[in-house]
């Protein structure tokens, strides 16, 4: 491995951070504001992509800013694991930027300038996480990501959105404290009379930890995994994620596919592979414990998803489950499982982004959020629902989609290690994936309004929040309050809508009651549940600013499933695993 001094890692971080200034300066000029967003996304992707050939050849790009705290350098390093996350985040930010334009304009949303600025800040933090050279630098960007994404979670400014934002901050800042405590313990464990300690990442783990006190090492490992496990949504520290579905759908895509939850599993990957190393994790007995938590999470979250009628909440619990596939692969510690877990990072990103993009398009075009109201919607939105079906196939691990390849490696890894319980957990979760995705596809294409089966499949209370009001998708308030009375039309700022438009809102505002009724009648006719209006496959169902990203993400899901060896992500994953284990997979 060759370390090359380069400004490209810091440039990749700064390009979107610097873009915040012109985005904010373009308030009131949406075309210019969105042009800055796209230019920054293209520049970030170009910088990250320029380092991929060198990383595949064994090079590491390093930007060293000198001493951060005594004994710790502020270093950004673009190594193979970092480039995996950075390439994924920068590519999908570009796609999500186009989708955001169609979504935010389609709903005539408020505070769009703040939205795009926060998005840019979030991606700057995510790339900082990817290229952090040690635990303390990773901690800094991990906390910055929380700060940058809070305005997105609480974007709608309703009581539900603010409550979701507070919960998000409480959980993620608490996780950050655990990460800092774990990093301090690692530094202390690696200190000696001969010199200061270290938190710098090293392929296969920090050598000095192998001779450290095993009890304290276990505590440090547990703190780090707990801290990163918050954003990875491991149970029981997962409940912030379904509640955050009150945010606009592109934000849900950011949370679930591009940055936030992926930063959690990426942090766990750094701890397992580059701080403690697979060998030491196995010796400490922490791998089995972590794998057990992941197996419990992936099965339980799948069961809870069965009872969610709101499409975004069903997808949210699906994310909780799918993230644990990644953690399980890392915790099993076999080279095949490591490949499967790391490959599921981009596989899940493409598939879940497709699903959330589809949910957002449905919301924008039909104002429909519940699966029970989607009977026959495939006629109204054929391209969208077909993409949803393709991504669902991949999420269930069916061949010819990305999820099959990553889950195949995971299964082989658990079989090779003899962990049959984990093998069974993977198989059961796969069946449950079919059980909660198939009803959506079947309802859309094979049922008509008034004839559909009740959804969700499971009515018993199996999880989620108790004694609280449900959070409606995309920031909308539930139609009725818990006492059965209609919610008031005005919020605490006196606006007669649920969005609280600010001064930089561009457009004519939301539909009033008469216009909304007319919209529903145009779509559905005067009856309660008539047939959907048929639309052709040529883009009539929505704007191409939304359909284009949907098709791109769905195509990526197929490409990763059909030609995985030709996809650069698998090549990077193989490089990571061979560097850590010395085994070529």
């Amino acid at each position: 491995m060759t370390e090359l001094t380069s400004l490209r890692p810091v440039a990749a971080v700064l390009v979107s951070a610097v873009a915040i200034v012109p985005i904010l300066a373009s308030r009131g000029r949406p075309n210019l504001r969105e042009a800055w967003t796209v230019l920054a996304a293209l520049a970030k992707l170009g910088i990250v992509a320029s380092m991929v050939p060198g990383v595949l050849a064994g090079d590491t790009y390093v930007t060293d800013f000198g001493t951060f705290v005594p004994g710790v350098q502020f270093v950004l390093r673009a190594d193979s694991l970092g480039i995996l996350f950075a390439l994924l985040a920068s590519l999908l930010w570009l796609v999500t930027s186009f989708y955001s334009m169609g979504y935010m304009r389609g709903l005539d949303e408020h505070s769009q300038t703040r939205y795009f600025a926060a998005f840019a800040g979030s991606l700057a933090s995510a790339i900082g996480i990817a290229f952090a050279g040690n635990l303390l630098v990773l901690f800094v960007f991990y906390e910055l990501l929380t700060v940058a994404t809070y305005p997105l979670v609480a974007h709608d400014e309703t009581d539900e959105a603010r409550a979701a934002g507070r919960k998000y901050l409480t959980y993620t800042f608490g996780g950050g404290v655990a990460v800092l405590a774990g990093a301090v313990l690692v530094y202390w464990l690696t200190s000696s009379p001969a010199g200061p300690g270290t938190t710098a990442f090293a392929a296969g783990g920090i050598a000095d930890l192998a001779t450290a006190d095993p009890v304290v090492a276990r505590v440090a490992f547990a703190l780090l995994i707990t801290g990163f496990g918050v954003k990875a949504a491991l149970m029981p520290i997962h409940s912030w994620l379904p509640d955050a579905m009150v945010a606009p759908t592109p934000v849900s895509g950011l949370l679930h596919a591009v940055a936030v939850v992926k930063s959690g599993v990426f942090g766990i990957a750094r701890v397992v592979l580059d701080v403690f190393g697979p060998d030491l994790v196995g010796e400490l007995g922490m791998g089995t414990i972590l794998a057990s938590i992941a197996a419990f999470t992936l099965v339980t979250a799948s069961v809870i998803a069965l009872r969610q009628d709101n499409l975004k909440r069903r997808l949210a619990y699906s994310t909780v489950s799918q993230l644990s596939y990644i953690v399980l692969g890392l915790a099993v510690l076999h080279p095949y499982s490591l490949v499967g877990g790391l490959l599921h990072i981009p596989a899940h990103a493409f598939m879940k982004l497709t699903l959330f993009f589809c949910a957002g398009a449905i919301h924008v075009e039909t104002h429909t959020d519940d699966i029970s109201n989607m009977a026959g919607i495939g006629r109204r939105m054929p391209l969208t629902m077909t993409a949803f079906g393709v991504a669902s196939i991949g999420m269930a691990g069916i061949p010819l989609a990305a999820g099959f390849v990553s889950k195949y490696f995971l299964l082989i890894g658990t079989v090779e290690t003899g962990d049959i319980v984990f093998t069974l957990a993977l198989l059961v979760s796969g069946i449950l994936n079919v059980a909660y995705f198939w009803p959506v596809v079947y309802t859309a294409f094979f049922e008509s309004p008034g004839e559909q089966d009740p959804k969700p499949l499971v009515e018993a209370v199996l999880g989620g929040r108790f004694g609280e009001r449900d959070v409606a998708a995309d920031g909308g308030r539930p139609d009725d309050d818990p006492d059965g009375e209609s919610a008031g039309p005005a919020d605490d700022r006196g606006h007669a809508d649920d969005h609280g438009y600010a001064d930089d809102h561009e457009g004519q505002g939301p539909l009033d009651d008469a216009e909304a009724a007319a919209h529903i009648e145009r779509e559905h006719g005067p009856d309660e549940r008539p047939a959907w209006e048929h639309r052709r496959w040529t883009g009539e169902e929505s704007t191409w600013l939304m359909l284009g990203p949907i098709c791109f993400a769905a195509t990526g899901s197929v490409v990763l499933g059909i030609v995985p060896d030709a996809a650069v992500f698998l090549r990077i994953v193989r490089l990571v695993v061979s560097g850590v284990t010395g085994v070529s997979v």
Side-chain angles (χ1 to χ4, degrees), residues 84-106:
L84 173 70
F85 183 32
L87 181 62
L88 178 68
S90 58
L91 173 61
L92 295 185
W93 181 38
L94 177 61
V95 177
T96 306
S97 296
F98 285 106
Y99 182 87
S100 294
M101 297 175 201
Y103 183 93
M104 301 300 281
R105 292 191 181 198

Side-chain angles (χ1 to χ4, degrees), residues 283-331:
E283 291 175 11
L284 295 174
M286 303 304 290
T288 301
I289 296 173
L290 180 58
S292 299
I293 295 171
F296 172 81
T297 300
L298 66 89
V299 173
T300 305
S302 295
V303 173
I304 296 174
L306 288 171
R307 67 174 297 269
Q308 305 300 318
D309 188 38
N310 182 278
L311 181 56
K312 283 183 67 178
R313 286 187 69 85
R314 183 171 290 200
L315 295 178
Y317 280 104
S318 169
T319 295
V320 175
S321 174
Q322 295 290 327
L323 291 172
S324 288
Y325 281 85
I326 302 169
V327 177
L328 180 62
L330 293 168

Side-chain angles (χ1 to χ4, degrees), residues 462-544:
L462 297 172
R465 298 168 303 152
F466 298 90
E468 300 179 33
R469 296 176 62 181
D470 288 336
V471 177
D474 292 283
R477 288 185 178 135
D479 292 334
D480 300 316
D481 66 19
D483 298 323
E485 297 180 358
S486 176
D491 61 16
D492 57 0
R493 295 154 311 197
H495 288 276
D497 59 67
D498 289 336
H499 297 283
Y501 290 160
D503 292 337
D504 68 335
H505 173 65
E506 298 87 9
Q508 301 301 314
L511 301 175
D512 60 25
D513 291 343
E515 291 172 326
H519 173 83
I520 293 172
E521 184 164 336
R522 285 196 302 271
E523 290 288 351
H524 301 282
D527 298 329
E528 182 181 0
R529 290 184 179 228
W532 292 93
E533 178 183 337
H534 285 236
R535 297 291 174 90
R536 291 183 294 182
W537 292 73
T538 53
E540 291 182 346
E541 62 198 78
S542 183
T543 171
W544 278 104

Side-chain angles (χ1 to χ4, degrees), residues 125 129 136-150 168-169 171-180 227-228 231 263:
S125 303
I129 290 171
L136 286 181
V137 176
L138 177 54
F139 162 77
V140 170
F141 285 107
Y142 193 71
E143 295 293 80
L144 288 175
L145 180 61
T146 296
V147 174
T149 49
Y150 169 75
Y168 173 67
L169 288 180
Y171 274 68
T172 52
F173 276 142
V177 171
V179 170
L180 179 60
F228 291 121
K231 282 181 179 170
S263 71

Side-chain angles (χ1 to χ4, degrees), residues 93-439:
W93 181 38
L94 177 61
V95 177
T96 306
S97 296
F98 285 106
Y99 182 87
S100 294
M101 297 175 201
Y103 183 93
M104 301 300 281
R105 292 191 181 198
L107 286 179
D108 220 6
E109 278 281 0
H110 72 292
S111 302
Q112 293 185 27
T113 300
R114 182 188 68 194
Y115 169 92
F116 283 101
F119 233 118
S122 300
L123 266 296
S125 303
I127 301 302
I129 290 171
F131 292 156
N134 56 62
L135 278 173
L136 286 181
V137 176
L138 177 54
F139 162 77
V140 170
F141 285 107
Y142 193 71
E143 295 293 80
L144 288 175
L145 180 61
T146 296
V147 174
T149 49
Y150 169 75
L152 298 172
V153 174
H155 174 82
D156 283 291
E157 301 178 13
T158 61
D159 291 340
E160 292 85 357
R162 293 190 184 97
R166 287 193 298 269
K167 189 171 188 177
Y168 173 67
L169 288 180
T170 300
Y171 274 68
T172 52
F173 276 142
V177 171
V179 170
L180 179 60
V184 170
L185 275 181
V186 168
Y187 182 85
W188 180 71
L189 285 169
T190 55
S191 299
S192 69
T198 183
T199 63
F201 301 131
I206 300 172
D208 290 341
L209 281 175
T211 57
D213 184 334
V215 174
V216 182
R218 290 187 182 96
V219 173
F221 183 87
L223 285 170
L224 290 169
I225 295 300
T226 300
F228 291 121
V230 171
K231 282 181 179 170
L234 289 174
M235 288 186 170
I237 47 179
H238 71 287
S239 65
W240 67 268
L241 186 55
D243 287 358
M245 292 305 94
V246 71
T249 300
V251 176
S252 300
L254 171 75
L255 292 172
H256 288 259
V258 182
V260 177
V261 297
K262 290 301 188 300
S263 71
V265 293
F266 177 81
I268 292 175
R270 280 295 194 195
V271 171
V272 172
L273 302 179
D274 294 339
V275 177
F276 285 83
D279 292 338
L280 181 56
V281 172
E283 291 175 11
L284 295 174
M286 303 304 290
T288 301
I289 296 173
L290 180 58
S292 299
I293 295 171
F296 172 81
T297 300
L298 66 89
V299 173
T300 305
S302 295
V303 173
I304 296 174
L306 288 171
R307 67 174 297 269
Q308 305 300 318
D309 188 38
N310 182 278
L311 181 56
K312 283 183 67 178
R313 286 187 69 85
R314 183 171 290 200
L315 295 178
Y317 280 104
S318 169
T319 295
V320 175
S321 174
Q322 295 290 327
L323 291 172
S324 288
Y325 281 85
I326 302 169
V327 177
L328 180 62
L330 293 168
V332 170
L333 305 176
H334 189 277
Y336 280 115
S337 72
L338 294 176
V339 169
L342 293 175
L343 183 60
H344 203 60
I345 293 177
H348 173 262
F350 278 96
M351 296 183 296
K352 187 51 63 74
L353 199 62
T354 303
L355 294 171
F356 272 107
F357 280 177
C358 292
I362 293 169
H363 177 80
V364 169
E365 297 299 324
T366 71
H367 302 283
T368 303
D369 298 313
D370 294 335
I371 300 165
S372 55
N373 294 329
M374 293 182 184
I377 201 172
R379 303 180 184 91
R380 168 63 174 81
M381 307 191 73
L383 192 60
T384 298
M385 294 313 300
T386 299
F388 190 98
V390 169
S392 298
I393 287 172
M395 296 292 285
I398 296 173
L400 303 183
F404 169 76
V405 180
S406 56
K407 292 181 181 182
Y408 172 80
F409 278 109
L410 286 171
L411 282 169
I412 295 300
T414 57
V415 170
E416 287 287 330
T417 58
D419 296 316
I420 304 303
V421 172
F422 301 142
T423 304
L424 291 175
L426 290 170
L427 294 174
V428 170
S429 180
I431 295 171
L432 292 172
N433 287 338
V434 175
Y436 63 72
F437 278 121
W438 170 246

